Amino acid sequence: MVKTTKKGFTLIELIIVVALFSIILTLVMSFIDPVSKLMTKTSTKERTAAYVDNISDYVDKSIRYAKFVRVYEGEYSDMHELTYTPITEKQAVESFCDDYFDGALNKDNAHLEGKVHILSFYNDNMPDAKDKPGVIYEGEYKFTAGDSCPISHDFEAPTPENPDEKETITGRVFKDEVGVLTYGEATPWTINCPAGDFPRAKVEKVGTDKSVLNPEHFVDYSYFYNVGYYELEPIKPSELSEYSDLSGKELPTSDKYYYSRIVPMKDNSSNNMSVGAANFSLNVLSYQNNTKGLNMISANHTIDESTTEAVNIFKSPAYISSSSMTLKNCVASGLKDSDLYEKYFRYAQTANTGVVKTDSEDEKIIEAIDPKEYYSRTFEYIKADSSVSSKNIYIIYALPEEVSPSQIEYK
């Protein structure tokens, strides 16, 4: 009989093998973990860059074909007052409708009706406590055009060739208001609105504002917007001492991140690039969120011993994209040789009385109005003065299909 014995691993051998596998696994994971983190970080950056591009595309599709556009940066203000006067959103819409559709008629010779839209970009002063910087809300108003009384006055404007020369200044006034016309240093001319029905535009909010961006946009990043042509410029380490937060503390430095600020882009003549209907641009900048707070810092920049400026400093990572476009219909509205040029129509009125003119058959005379010359520029950019700390942006615009006048036979 042959006796056989079965051999196996001893407990010591098993412990040694497990220890070796643990060491090998630890080494493998030490290589995999950084790669995984890098892939996650890259994925986050790519996703955020896509979000920024989506925001730019949304703005582009919203206003590129608008007929009239008015941009407020900082807060709403009354551009027609001699002094800066903040106004409400509803009053801003009312002013917009008065400036572009005052007296306009529809096909039934009644006051023109339509819709206007508002895009609100909140860099600060968010409307909801849960909102993060960079939310965008869209609102809508319906309106009925008002009908002002035209006013006019001849100011003395003598020249060496003609000492009796006069300059005619025109304007308008609404019910229960006082009209004021100015010319140079001459004494302003005033007139009370005459008795009659000269209402401002009637505007009414449609529903409630809706958020344009999904909450997922703000998981890792927040956003900052500004109008014009700008770029993100890193701050040199040697220049960082010129910046401090609003409490006066120096900005902390690290090899893991750097600071940047937004600076204007220059044209070939080294001047800041301007913005208008033919060259409108809105910048969308993303900056990272983390457990220590937002990586946008309101800071003071010391230019010299007597001059400082308030700036926003962005800690890396940050990404900027510009939504640049030509507002085609805004441009075309003022070009008489364009196929898109379109007149509005209103009843002809006598200046300073508002009396509607009639023809020999006692029928009301309808006159054509050139929107560019009568109402105002088709695109306007109104920036709040330096005393306003808000950095919000509001864009009021009207789409052609929602405000187009009907073709009217006029004399």
Side-chain angles (χ1 to χ4, degrees), residues 58 61 70 153 236 244 251 265-266 314 341:
Y58 189 91
K61 292 176 181 178
R70 179 170 288 171
H153 184 70
K236 298 178 182 179
S244 63
L251 301 178
M265 296 176 65
K266 305 290 185 179
F314 299 91
Y341 175 76

Side-chain angles (χ1 to χ4, degrees), residues 146-279:
D147 190 14
S148 65
C149 171
I151 56 177
S152 175
H153 184 70
D154 294 332
F155 286 89
E156 301 291 337
T159 63
E161 296 78 14
N162 186 356
D164 297 325
E165 183 72 23
K166 296 182 181 295
E167 183 75 23
T168 301
I169 303 298
T170 61
R172 60 190 175 166
V173 65
F174 294 93
K175 184 177 181 179
D176 299 327
E177 295 182 359
V178 177
V180 180
L181 297 179
T182 60
Y183 177 73
E185 297 181 357
T187 301
W189 180 82
T190 61
I191 181 175
N192 292 320
C193 184
D197 189 17
F198 301 104
R200 282 192 173 274
K202 296 178 181 178
V203 300
E204 181 181 349
K205 191 77 175 269
V206 178
T208 57
D209 292 346
K210 65 177 183 179
S211 177
V212 171
L213 305 180
N214 294 326
E216 65 182 24
H217 281 63
F218 299 92
V219 172
D220 300 295
Y221 283 77
S222 290
Y223 305 88
F224 183 85
Y225 311 97
N226 67 332
V227 177
Y229 289 86
Y230 291 83
E231 57 188 346
L232 201 60
E233 179 182 81
I235 299 174
K236 298 178 182 179
S238 60
E239 297 175 347
L240 194 58
S241 59
E242 300 174 3
Y243 298 84
S244 63
D245 66 20
L246 297 184
S247 65
K249 298 180 180 178
E250 294 184 359
L251 301 178
T253 59
S254 171
D255 294 334
K256 297 181 180 180
Y257 59 82
Y258 61 90
Y259 297 98
S260 297
R261 62 174 293 184
I262 299 175
V263 296
M265 296 176 65
K266 305 290 185 179
D267 58 21
N268 294 333
S269 301
S270 297
N271 298 317
N272 293 348
M273 295 179 64
S274 60
V275 62
N279 55 341

Side-chain angles (χ1 to χ4, degrees), residues 271-286:
N271 298 317
N272 293 348
M273 295 179 64
S274 60
V275 62
N279 55 341
F280 178 77
S281 180
L282 179 77
N283 301 283
V284 184
L285 186 146
S286 63

Side-chain angles (χ1 to χ4, degrees), residues 121-137 213 215-225 287-290 294:
F121 302 81
Y122 291 96
N123 291 319
D124 52 20
N125 301 332
M126 277 69 69
D128 191 287
K130 296 180 181 179
D131 286 335
K132 291 185 178 180
V135 294
I136 305 174
Y137 279 85
L213 305 180
E216 65 182 24
H217 281 63
F218 299 92
V219 172
D220 300 295
Y221 283 77
S222 290
Y223 305 88
F224 183 85
Y225 311 97
Y287 56 96
Q288 194 175 44
N289 301 322
N290 56 33
L294 301 174

Side-chain angles (χ1 to χ4, degrees), residues 24 55 64 72 106 186 202 216 224 255 383 385 408:
I24 294 172
I55 295 171
R64 178 182 288 272
Y72 292 92
N106 63 18
K202 296 178 181 178
E216 65 182 24
F224 183 85
D255 294 334
K383 188 172 183 178
D385 63 23
I408 298 176

Side-chain angles (χ1 to χ4, degrees), residues 29-159:
M29 290 303 296
S30 67
F31 286 102
I32 292 177
D33 191 52
V35 174
S36 177
K37 288 182 178 179
L38 179 61
M39 292 178 65
T40 301
K41 185 176 181 180
T42 302
S43 176
T44 299
K45 290 180 67 176
E46 289 178 349
R47 187 172 68 252
T48 303
Y51 287 157
V52 170
D53 292 339
N54 288 342
I55 295 171
S56 296
D57 289 343
Y58 189 91
V59 174
D60 189 311
K61 292 176 181 178
S62 296
I63 69 172
R64 178 182 288 272
Y65 298 104
K67 189 176 182 67
F68 303 105
V69 175
R70 179 170 288 171
V71 180
Y72 292 92
E73 186 170 4
E75 63 182 7
Y76 294 114
S77 61
D78 189 348
M79 61 175 297
H80 300 295
E81 296 293 332
L82 297 179
T83 58
Y84 181 84
T85 307
I87 56 179
T88 65
E89 177 186 276
K90 185 175 181 179
Q91 289 172 329
V93 174
E94 183 182 77
S95 175
F96 180 89
C97 295
D98 283 336
D99 289 342
Y100 292 128
F101 311 117
D102 179 42
L105 302 173
N106 63 18
K107 63 181 180 180
D108 298 320
N109 290 358
H111 291 168
L112 179 71
E113 296 181 343
K115 293 181 180 179
V116 296
H117 303 263
I118 299 179
L119 283 176
S120 301
F121 302 81
Y122 291 96
N123 291 319
D124 52 20
N125 301 332
M126 277 69 69
D128 191 287
K130 296 180 181 179
D131 286 335
K132 291 185 178 180
V135 294
I136 305 174
Y137 279 85
E138 184 173 13
E140 183 180 297
Y141 282 80
K142 62 181 180 180
F143 74 88
T144 302
D147 190 14
S148 65
C149 171
I151 56 177
S152 175
H153 184 70
D154 294 332
F155 286 89
E156 301 291 337
T159 63

